Every structure is written in C-alpha cells, then in structure tokens.
C-alpha cells in the first residue's frame, strides 16, 4: 500500500455533497495534522482553493486531496471513511501509524512524532 490517504467511496460521496452544499465545487480537500489534543496530534480536514508549494495532491473517487509533504510520514496508509448510524453520520480516520489515541478519539501520536499534548 503506497497511498498516503485512502479515501473510501462513502467519504468521497459525502465530501462531494458538502462541496456542492457549500459552493466549493472544484476545491481540494486538505487533510492536515496539527499539534494538540491530549495525545499530542490532531487531524484537520477542510476545503482549500489552492495547492501550496509544499503540498502533494492525490485524487481518489473524483476528490482532489492535499497533504503537506511534512505530514506524509504521519499519514501514510490512513483510511478516511464516512459511517452512517442511527445517531447520524461522521467521518472516521484510521491511521496505521498512530501508536496511541486519546479516550475521546480526537487526537493521537506516532512513534516518530509525539506532537504537543494538551489537557482534554
């Protein structure tokens, strides 16, 4: 598996619907890592209009994904899906590089990057 991000079809469909609802057709989806959370690193996802000089671009299921080059090692093999349940739906992120996650599930750390842990 050489992909940095593996975007499941359900997640891609949800992203496309969100792009239409927010007038963001043709935008990229940026998957980012930032310091914070009780385990040290947190994920971020959002729309972006432009590819930066330090970004890599991947396309899956018709969705263009941006990842900063410095985050490739942390994200390599990460699976993003969208799950629907009786309580609603939401994106799930499964990162094979995460060696620890917090109880609330919103932060993680890897063997090579402990991030900047904060209080929950």
């Amino acid at each position: 598996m050489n992909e940095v991000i593996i975007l499941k079809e359900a997640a891609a469909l949800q992203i496309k619907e969100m792009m239409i609802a927010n007038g963001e057709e043709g935008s990229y989806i940026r998957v980012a890592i930032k310091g914070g959370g009780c385990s040290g690193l947190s994920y971020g996802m959002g729309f972006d209009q432009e590819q930066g000089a330090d970004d890599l671009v991947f396309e899956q299921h018709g969705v263009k994904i941006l990842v900063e080059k410095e985050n490739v090692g942390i994200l390599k093999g990460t699976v993003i899906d969208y799950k629907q349940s009786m309580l609603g739906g939401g994106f799930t992120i499964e990162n094979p590089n995460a060696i620890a996650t917090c109880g609330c599930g919103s932060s993680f750390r890897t063997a090579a990057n402990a991030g900047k842990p904060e209080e929950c």
Side-chain angles (χ1 to χ4, degrees):
M1 168 176 32
N2 292 328
E3 293 93 350
V4 174
I5 300 291
I6 299 154
L7 189 66
K8 295 290 192 171
E9 189 172 6
L13 291 172
Q14 185 65 29
I15 289 168
K16 288 177 186 177
E17 287 179 17
M18 293 170 69
M19 285 178 167
I20 292 167
N22 291 290
E24 294 281 353
E25 296 95 332
S27 293
Y28 299 92
I29 189 80
R30 178 175 295 281
V31 179
I33 300 294
K34 55 189 175 186
C38 42
S39 291
L41 297 170
S42 297
Y43 299 105
M45 278 181 34
F47 300 121
D48 204 329
Q49 303 296 322
E50 297 179 12
Q51 177 184 355
D54 293 329
D55 289 332
L56 296 177
V57 179
F58 309 94
E59 186 167 340
Q60 293 181 21
H61 303 289
V63 174
K64 294 179 279 184
I65 306 161
L66 292 177
V67 173
E68 287 184 21
K69 290 176 187 174
E70 70 180 31
N71 292 328
V72 167
I74 296 171
L75 291 169
K76 189 170 182 72
T78 295
V79 177
I80 299 175
D81 202 355
Y82 188 83
K83 307 273 182 175
Q84 194 72 32
S85 73
M86 289 176 57
L87 299 174
F91 289 98
T92 62
I93 300 174
E94 295 176 22
N95 186 337
N97 305 300
I99 61 167
T101 58
C102 66
C104 57
S106 66
S107 70
F108 69 102
R109 67 182 162 96
T110 67
N113 193 329
K116 298 176 183 168
E118 301 171 344
E119 293 292 319
C120 275

